[in-house]
Amino acid sequence: MNMILKAVSKLKWTKPSSQARQFSLTITPPVASCNTITRNSSSLLDDFTRFCYQRDLPRAMKAMHAMQCHGVRADSVTYAELIKCCLARHAVEEAKLVHNHVLSGGFEPETFLVNILLNMHVKFSLLEEAQVLFDQMPERNVVSWTTMISAYCDAKMNDKALELLIFMLREGVRPNMFTYSAVLRACDSLIILRQLHCGIIKVGFESDVFVRSALIDIYAKLGELRNAECVFNEMPTRDLVVWNSIIGGFAQNSDVDEALNLYKRMKRAGFAADQSTLTSVLRACTGLALLELGTQVHVHVLKYDHDLILNNALLDMYCKCGSLEDAMSVFSRMIQKDVISWSTMISGLAQNGYSQEALKLFESMKVSRIKPNYITIVGVLFACSHAGFVEDGWNHFKSMKKFYGIDPGREHYSCMIDLLGRAGKLQEAVKLIHEMPYEPDAVTWRALLGACKVHRNTDLAICAAKKILNLDPQDPGTYILLSNIYANSQKWDEVAEVRKTMRARGITKEPGCSWIEVNKQIHAFNVADSSHPQIDKINKHLKHLIQKLVGVGYAPDTNYVLQDLEGEQKEDSIQYHSEKLAIVFGLMSLTQGKTIRIRKNLRICGDCHTFAKLTAKMENQTIVIRDPIRYHHFQDGNCSCGDYW
DNA sequence: ATAGGGTTAG
């Protein structure tokens, strides 16, 4: 904790880096200050051509200016060279002059040269200007169309991109594989994607690697991993981007195991990971809380210390693996930080129980002049709600529109309901639900239900649970909770009713499962599971540990009805909850003193929470448990959540 | 001359 505080105070702020420059299409007349000494036009042209090919931008610009005064023009290929040079140096002002020069003097430049100008506008993010130029072009070929389509895809104007494809076909211009690989990115529905895919197969472009990687990526983005895999498996040749597309696809679709398998296959196939691969692998580590693998990947990230996206992924990995010291050290060393870096760190601190530090960091963020976004504020409100900072929460909530121009959204309201509810202001929370400008959804009611659990308000809990089940009839946890509430009040008819509904809807209770990484191997434990090879030893050890804990006042609590967030305890197997097995296995197999890190699929129950606190104290051992919502750092008999989750 | 892959919450 102290380390984190120190790290927060030592942070250095990076200056904002946006310096968007304006650049218009207006053609300015030649400047009047031309050198009056007459020069031979062919020597002017020679100079210009030489400078262009030498990529000597300043001299080329001077030469061009002289040519303009004397009405001399070069050939298109030379101008193309010059434009490439401007692009490479991001020389917007110079590009503007070249553009004016090329289009002035009543000449009609060749299509390929205008295409290069078009592309230049797109690369400098001047979409509107590009469209004007495109509209003025007397002749537009595949390249012109593809450039525009690609530009609209970059701007996420999917509809416009698809519309252009139709205009293009109407004008009789046939799309090529460049066009298809670009336009595929504009698919936001499966129907459109399937239609385009048909067309691609029909014209025989499916064999192109670019088209295939675009297909894989977009199928994965639309959640159709099987189709993505089909395209991938059929490929005779693959390149790094294709591998990255499929690995990224699985990493982003929570089939993280498969992403890691593919990463291994990729390496076996002889490809070296690049920034994109590493980002996806880190995301996979994040999902599975694989700190050891993630730390290994960190070594490879070091050579890409200028890559913001990759470093953000690294930062998130450490946060989500509960290793805040590492996260802070990455954060403070990052060369460049953007909203995502800040938001990740703020949420990371908050989820790990460091609410105060999260809010402090938010203050520093304001100083750094990086503007918070929607997600940043969610993190800030999360920090407030999990620390019981009602007043701070209200202040941030009320001022977000005024200070940051962000309208409070559903998630912000849910955080506020959570905040009020946890603080015991259940009626105020209900009031806010009625006042908010959105229809409450399952997340909203779950926030209220969480508060009912903390404050043991059975009636309101039943009401909230019913609302959740109306909106999300597939949520096993809520059925179990409802049934447990009824059981606790001995309303057996209602219990039977809930069970009946569950059966009728085919809903089965998700079994509790915990994972722990030991020697780069993942060990999984289910409730009362006996499949682990060392289970007998683990059970023996667990019994022994429980006896020792009882000696210091531990009383296994089997009546955590409202506290029980996963509904495992009615299984008569509370002492075999998956996290207990994982903790014991960690004690047995990790080197003494090494933090035990566990990830689980359901929320931790009250009994296991007490068990973990006492174990941490008795064994002098740090234990970190990540549940689907937040983190618990157990140390010296306490938990970072302050018994408030 | 035009094309494909990676980051934050719930």
Side-chain angles (χ1 to χ4, degrees), chain A residues 539-571:
Chain A
N539 281 334
K540 227 163 130 189
H541 200 117
L542 177 57
K543 268 204 181 116
H544 185 62
L545 178 60
I546 289 177
Q547 272 170 12
K548 275 206 303 190
L549 294 178
V550 169
V552 295
Y554 170 63
D557 186 349
T558 49
N559 195 24
Y560 257 105
V561 175
L562 275 174
Q563 277 277 341
D564 175 26
L565 304 172
E566 54 176 47
E568 278 183 348
Q569 98 286 2
K570 291 284 167 185
E571 294 291 306

Side-chain angles (χ1 to χ4, degrees), chain A residues 393-510:
Chain A
W394 267 126
N395 287 339
H396 288 301
F397 182 74
K398 283 178 184 157
S399 62
M400 59 188 282
K401 172 79 178 156
K402 197 170 106 196
F403 288 169
Y404 320 114
I406 302 160
D407 281 309
R410 269 223 165 75
E411 287 83 356
H412 301 115
Y413 275 96
S414 294
C415 282
M416 286 311 293
I417 290 154
D418 189 82
L419 168 63
L420 294 168
R422 277 169 194 279
K425 301 169 187 288
L426 287 169
Q427 288 317 312
E428 278 186 52
V430 173
K431 195 172 151 234
L432 194 61
I433 293 180
H434 292 303
E435 282 172 7
M436 65 184 217
Y438 307 94
E439 272 302 301
D441 63 2
V443 178
T444 318
W445 293 113
R446 261 187 218 113
L448 186 67
L449 182 60
C452 296
K453 283 184 229 165
V454 176
H455 297 287
R456 312 203 172 210
N457 185 325
T458 317
D459 293 339
L460 199 54
I462 292 172
C463 166
K466 283 184 173 167
K467 297 272 192 193
I468 294 171
L469 292 179
N470 274 335
L471 293 158
D472 181 7
Q474 301 298 313
D475 178 19
T478 305
Y479 287 100
I480 301 296
L481 185 94
L482 194 56
S483 139
N484 285 348
I485 296 171
Y486 286 135
N488 203 42
S489 341
Q490 317 207 313
K491 295 182 178 170
W492 305 114
D493 290 347
E494 282 88 344
V495 172
E497 187 63 35
V498 174
R499 295 276 151 119
K500 209 175 111 193
T501 318
M502 269 185 91
R503 264 198 308 278
R505 294 181 182 169
I507 289 148
T508 46
K509 194 159 98 176
E510 189 181 355

Side-chain angles (χ1 to χ4, degrees), chain A residues 2-13:
Chain A
N2 278 337
M3 282 181 70
I4 292 172
L5 276 171
K6 251 189 246 163
V8 171
S9 63
K10 263 197 272 174
L11 296 174
K12 285 186 186 137
W13 319 123

